[in-house]
Amino acid sequence: MNMAHELGGIEWQGVSKRYGQHTVIPDFHLSIAAGEFIALLGPSGCGKSTLLRMLAGLEPVSSGRITIGGRDVTDLAPGQRGIAMVFQQYALYPHMTVRDNMAFGLRNIRMDEAEIGRRVDGAAQMLELQALLERKPVQLSGGQRQRVAIGRAVVKEPLAFLFDEPLSNLDAALRTRTRLELARLHKRLGATMLFVTHDQVEAMTLANRIAVMNQGRIEQFAAPMDLYDRPATRFVAGFVGSPAMNFLPVRRAPDQDGRCVVTLSNGATVRTAVAAIPAGGNLELELGLRPDALTPAPDGQLQGTVEVIERLGDRTLLHVQLADGLLVVADAPRHGEPALGSTIALRMDLQRAHLFDADGAAHHPA
Ligand SMILES: Nc1ncnc2c1ncn2[C@@H]1O[C@H](COP(=O)(O)OP(=O)(O)OP(=O)(O)O)[C@@H](O)[C@H]1O
Ligand SMILES: [Mg+2]
């Protein structure tokens, strides 16, 4: 059985979106099982909000179909799709109390008042809003307002929740707290949740699967740690992980023992743990190393100058300028960090080095 046919499952089938001559989404396919927590992660302008708005019915598709729970909703009005959306701008009615804001959508569809009361009280309890029900939005903090906006979605008892950057107006501490509340809410309700963000920490901590997007396309759809450990493309490798992966231009040398061998720009030749790539194709590759796979050592294969020392508390990062001008980020040892401006050697942990083709395809250590 198609997982997207369960109640709350979502499927985009060849969905495209054009504005005049400009194609924003070329041909989008994605299938989400009921109850999943999915993040759409990608840089600004890659089409995340557009996809959510088409799913919610706020924006027509140019072509393709969208199903929710196996039902084709492509031509249905937003209110008939069984979903609720929470935006970055909470858009509460300023003259109404919290209780009336939450009840508004239900009164609009003439739901029985007793049922409305039951749902509002239930959502208020879940989101710890009971003490605030008689207040107006202006009497709330930003985080409380966003909780009311989430409550307004919860009372609809939708099959799926759509969140478009709901935390980006909150300060750092509140973001973290609200993030945990969303995780708890998902656990309690078990509803499908689709979360749009350009913040990878949000995506990694909340979602069970993440679709990394680039220019209206999915680069990779996988579990958070798979994206980190086995990024399918150079784009994903560079986007997921903070600080970002280092990329060094290298040239292929003859394979050894079934492993790829590459020559660095300083002439050093190293054997990676990547299985030999079939001969032919481009000789120019990029070697990808996360900062913690690059550490100072007297016999390191790379030489450079320490330009910046960044102390983050739990780790210290060295920004090192290599002889060929390239800037790389490496982890400093816990004790005895090198001096600013000193010349150091960096050892590459080749067991953890990735290789990327000129077309962006990734090759991982075996
Ligand atoms: N009404 C419109 N007319 C023309 N182009 C539009 C329209 N709405 C969006 N776009 C374009 O579509 C692309 C995708 O926009 P979208 O809002 O989906 O991006 P996003 O991934 O949500 O970005 P952000 O992270 O900044 O919110 C952008 O290039 C944007 O300029
Ligand atoms: Mg957006």
Side-chain angles (χ1 to χ4, degrees):
M1 183 176 130
N2 187 331
M3 291 187 304
H5 283 193
E6 293 169 51
L7 230 54
I10 294 171
E11 195 164 14
W12 284 267
Q13 301 164 348
V15 170
S16 75
K17 182 67 185 178
R18 288 181 295 277
Y19 290 107
Q21 294 296 319
H22 183 50
T23 299
V24 175
I25 311 280
D27 178 24
F28 195 83
H29 294 264
L30 184 65
S31 182
I32 296 170
E36 280 200 276
F37 201 139
I38 300 294
L40 292 180
L41 174 67
S44 186
C46 72
K48 306 178 297 292
S49 295
T50 304
L51 279 169
L52 228 56
R53 292 171 57 78
M54 290 192 292
L55 174 62
L58 303 172
E59 191 80 63
V61 304
S62 299
S63 65
R65 312 304 297 174
I66 298 175
T67 68
I68 299 175
R71 186 170 65 125
D72 190 331
V73 299
T74 317
D75 303 315
L76 293 185
Q80 298 175 320
R81 297 188 178 204
I83 54 179
M85 190 153 166
V86 179
F87 300 90
Q88 177 179 348
Q89 257 61 359
Y90 341 110
L92 302 177
Y93 297 106
H95 58 285
M96 289 185 197
T97 62
V98 166
R99 180 185 293 284
D100 289 340
N101 263 290
M102 296 215 295
F104 185 77
L106 305 182
R107 290 200 177 117
N108 255 354
I109 56 167
R110 298 180 196 289
M111 185 178 283
D112 172 64
E113 273 298 324
E115 175 65 8
I116 293 176
R118 189 190 64 77
R119 290 192 184 192
V120 170
D121 288 332
Q125 192 188 0
M126 196 181 299
L127 296 162
E128 290 174 31
L129 289 169
Q130 298 107 312
L132 309 176
L133 281 172
E134 306 315 322
R135 288 203 203 168
K136 301 267 175 70
V138 69
Q139 298 166 304
L140 303 175
S141 72
Q144 290 167 337
R145 280 179 217 167
Q146 191 54 292
R147 291 223 298 280
V148 176
I150 294 169
R152 197 171 45 180
V154 169
V155 296
K156 290 186 188 163
E157 301 188 352
L159 295 173
F161 288 84
L162 314 185
F163 296 100
D164 194 350
E165 310 242 10
L167 310 182
S168 38
N169 280 356
L170 309 180
D171 69 39
L174 206 49
R175 269 177 100 113
T176 310
R177 260 189 43 207
T178 315
R179 203 169 76 206
L180 290 173
E181 274 166 19
L182 281 181
R184 269 181 23 214
L185 191 68
H186 179 247
K187 219 170 151 196
R188 280 188 71 157
L189 299 176
T192 311
M193 293 194 172
L194 193 58
F195 190 95
V196 160
T197 181
H198 54 247
D199 181 331
Q200 52 166 306
V201 176
E202 261 168 41
M204 298 277 286
T205 52
L206 282 172
N208 64 298
R209 288 199 288 171
I210 300 173
V212 179
M213 290 186 57
N214 180 21
Q215 300 188 345
R217 291 185 171 80
I218 293 183
E219 292 267 334
Q220 188 171 8
F221 183 42
M225 286 316 285
D226 288 344
L227 293 178
Y228 186 81
D229 292 332
R230 303 184 70 78
T233 63
R234 188 195 187 283
F235 179 86
V236 175
F239 197 78
V240 175
S242 176
M245 187 181 277
N246 297 295
F247 297 101
L248 305 170
V250 294
R251 246 187 113 68
R252 276 191 75 177
D255 300 329
Q256 277 174 25
D257 309 326
R259 297 284 183 261
C260 251
V261 176
V262 295
T263 305
L264 309 170
S265 68
N266 66 5
T269 293
V270 297
R271 191 172 75 111
T272 69
V274 174
I277 307 168
N282 208 319
L283 290 178
E284 310 293 333
L285 301 172
E286 279 182 297
L287 184 77
L289 282 166
R290 301 226 176 255
D292 59 347
L294 211 51
T295 44
D299 61 346
Q301 308 94 328
L302 299 172
Q303 293 78 35
T305 311
V306 181
E307 296 277 309
V308 177
I309 299 178
E310 207 179 350
R311 295 184 187 86
L312 301 176
D314 56 341
R315 71 198 279 203
T316 296
L317 300 173
L318 305 173
H319 296 250
V320 177
Q321 176 139 40
L322 304 182
D324 62 1
L326 204 68
L327 204 60
V328 296
V329 179
D331 264 48
R334 285 207 72 82
H335 300 288
E337 73 190 33
L340 198 61
S342 63
T343 300
I344 61 167
L346 294 170
R347 182 192 289 150
M348 302 185 282
D349 181 355
L350 290 161
Q351 294 304 311
R352 296 179 50 210
H354 307 260
L355 287 173
F356 299 92
D357 287 345
D359 66 3
H363 304 273
H364 304 298

